[in-house]
Amino acid sequence: MADRVGRPDGATPGLPRPGFRPVAAGRAAGSRDIVARWRLRPAGAAAAGGEPDHVWYAAYGSNMCAERLACYLRGGRPAGGARTYPGCRDGRPPERAVPVTLPGQLYFALESTVWGGGTAFYDPDRPGVVPARAYLLTTGQFSDIAAQERHRAPGADLSPATALRTGRDRLWPGRYGTLVCPGSLDHTPVLTLTASGGLADADLRAPRAAYLRTIAAGLVQAHGWDLGRIADYLGTRPGADAQWTPTALRRALAETAGDD
């Protein structure tokens, strides 16, 4: 692989559990080196070479938190969540994890069966930048995560061919049924999941504090953001802004973190 983030093997030591820890400006929590943002190549560049063995899964919501993602990989129930996940056929941890930014906008809509309140979705057609965390997984692992997102049993590999060629593919109707390929990293495609419709068609709904806390933990782990920046970002996203102001959100996250 080309550029490295963190240790020479790409691992990120000492990831914090959900909550907030002091993080030096410009550094990811647990990383020994200054974080370098990866630049995504255009989506069409990911189409060469046929079906990939590995993909980068770009998580922009609660799965930015490593402990939350582990529930999809190994199975388990996330802290504050109401659902236990079966896990992937291959429960190994990601081979690597790097901070990325995606073109588009984050919003909250529908009703989460895990957290209550609105769920995070990604609209790649909107202007803006979405902080995310890219995990290097096998295509089978990504397929099993996609199945669990839709409350389906893991076991069948999906084909990203259309998304690699066109930038997206509506695999199923509803939440997390659309596969998006915003680009590639080091010749490996970046994939993420979102709702079938975009922000314009969304049933916006405010997220609960427990869910926002898990997203916040992922922003700390991946990007090294402090609490104020997290509250300014999440509290102004469509759906969240109907209930949360940055000031109120910062207070709520700080109070929740203090319960540890």
Side-chain angles (χ1 to χ4, degrees):
M1 293 258 176
D3 303 325
R4 296 282 183 175
V5 175
R7 296 192 321 206
D9 62 0
T12 306
L15 291 178
R17 63 193 180 91
F20 300 99
R21 305 289 185 270
V23 179
R27 296 176 64 89
S31 176
R32 298 174 183 171
D33 300 322
I34 298 297
V35 171
R37 293 279 167 76
W38 289 65
R39 294 186 179 275
L40 299 184
R41 298 184 180 183
E51 297 282 339
D53 294 327
H54 287 75
V55 299
W56 291 97
Y57 164 44
Y60 53 83
S62 63
N63 281 344
M64 284 191 288
C65 177
E67 295 80 5
R68 166 66 166 122
L69 181 73
C71 295
Y72 280 101
L73 292 170
R74 298 195 305 263
R77 181 174 174 174
R83 181 183 171 204
T84 299
Y85 295 85
C88 295
R89 291 165 289 174
D90 179 354
R92 292 177 296 173
E95 294 182 24
R96 299 186 65 196
V98 298
V100 297
T101 54
L102 307 177
Q105 187 172 19
L106 181 79
Y107 65 95
F108 294 91
L110 303 178
E111 179 79 14
S112 172
T113 59
V114 179
W115 307 97
T119 301
F121 295 103
Y122 166 59
D123 189 336
D125 295 325
R126 292 278 174 162
V129 175
V130 177
R133 191 178 200 179
Y135 298 97
L136 186 60
L137 304 173
T138 68
T139 302
Q141 287 177 309
F142 177 77
S143 299
D144 288 349
I145 289 172
Q148 292 174 86
E149 286 279 26
R150 300 182 58 252
H151 295 209
R152 301 292 189 272
D157 288 350
L158 59 82
S159 172
T162 298
L164 300 189
R165 187 177 67 254
T166 67
R168 75 188 66 185
D169 184 15
R170 184 178 177 182
L171 300 173
W172 313 282
R175 64 184 71 197
Y176 300 122
T178 295
L179 186 62
V180 178
C181 178
S184 65
L185 297 176
D186 198 29
H187 307 290
T188 299
V190 176
L191 297 175
T192 194
L193 297 159
T194 191
S196 301
L199 174 58
D201 302 319
D203 177 15
L204 296 178
R205 193 161 305 179
R208 299 272 180 87
Y211 183 50
L212 291 171
R213 182 190 182 195
T214 305
I215 297 175
L219 288 168
V220 172
Q221 292 176 2
H223 293 270
W225 284 16
D226 62 28
L227 187 56
R229 186 174 182 182
I230 291 168
D232 287 343
Y233 171 64
L234 294 177
T236 55
R237 298 309 91 188
D241 60 3
Q243 174 176 325
W244 300 101
T245 65
T247 300
L249 180 54
R250 179 170 183 166
R251 185 182 306 113
L253 293 175
E255 290 172 353
T256 308
D259 292 339
D260 289 341

